[in-house]
Amino acid sequence: MHTLMMNVNGSDVHVEIYPDETLAEVLRDRLGLIGTKVACGEGECGACTVLIDGVAVTSCITPAMKAHGRRVVTIEGLTEDTELHVIQQAFVDATASQCGYCTPGFIMATKALLDANPNPTRDEIMHGISGNLCRCTGYYQIVDAVALAAKRLAEEERS
């Protein structure tokens, strides 16, 4: 067993883990943060996307110890109290979720994208979410949601 110390969603955590555990396993199974989904288990679909020090990673293939001493943000970390984050609300308002299984990964990829590029073009949005797959529908509503979130975040910034 190894001791993993990291900051998750603003709280310092210490957890004993096996050396071969993935970050997704630790987040879901040990910390109860089940908003991070595991679909393909191969880092191909992006459903398990979380942020490590602001960078989007596929947590299903990321060894948990890679997060040692770092800041991890999951979908649960975006919500303040009971209020949805602007990105989450934009996904709701743009009806960008079908079954919703991929949605946390898309939202975390969107967070990383908009933190790096607050005013992306539609092509930049497509590129920014390209590591995430939705098996239910096309991507028009998802791209619309990202653009809506960018617009709302810019409005918040100005006010």
Side-chain angles (χ1 to χ4, degrees):
M1 297 288 274
H2 295 284
T3 300
L4 171 62
M5 294 182 289
M6 59 185 170
N7 182 289
V8 179
N9 299 332
S11 297
D12 291 332
V13 297
H14 300 84
V15 60
E16 296 296 317
I17 66 166
Y18 293 104
D20 61 343
E21 285 187 271
T22 67
L23 183 56
E25 291 170 328
V26 170
L27 292 171
R28 289 181 56 82
D29 302 338
R30 296 188 181 269
L31 300 179
L33 298 170
I34 59 172
T36 299
K37 305 299 183 201
V38 176
C40 71
E42 298 176 353
E44 296 293 327
C45 73
C48 64
T49 301
V50 299
L51 306 182
I52 296 179
D53 292 339
V55 176
V57 300
T58 48
S59 63
C60 72
I61 59 168
T62 300
M65 286 307 287
K66 289 255 185 189
H68 187 74
R70 300 174 80 182
R71 185 174 46 88
V72 176
V73 178
T74 69
I75 190 72
E76 291 91 346
L78 292 186
T79 305
E80 291 184 26
D81 298 321
T82 57
E83 189 143 335
L84 293 178
H85 187 276
V86 169
I87 296 170
Q88 293 169 313
Q89 190 62 55
F91 271 69
V92 171
D93 293 344
T95 61
S97 299
Q98 292 292 313
C99 80
Y101 202 82
C102 66
T103 304
F106 271 105
I107 289 173
M108 297 312 293
T110 299
K111 174 78 170 120
L113 169 66
L114 297 182
D115 285 349
N117 179 1
N119 189 23
T121 65
R122 289 187 80 82
D123 285 344
E124 290 168 334
I125 291 170
M126 289 295 293
H127 180 74
I129 61 171
S130 64
N132 295 73
L133 300 176
C134 173
R135 292 179 171 89
C136 296
T137 186
Y139 295 85
Y140 292 111
Q141 292 98 334
I142 293 169
V143 173
D144 288 347
V146 176
L148 180 59
K151 178 182 172 193
R152 289 178 175 170
L153 287 167
E155 289 169 356
E156 275 187 6
E157 186 74 24
R158 285 192 295 266
S159 62

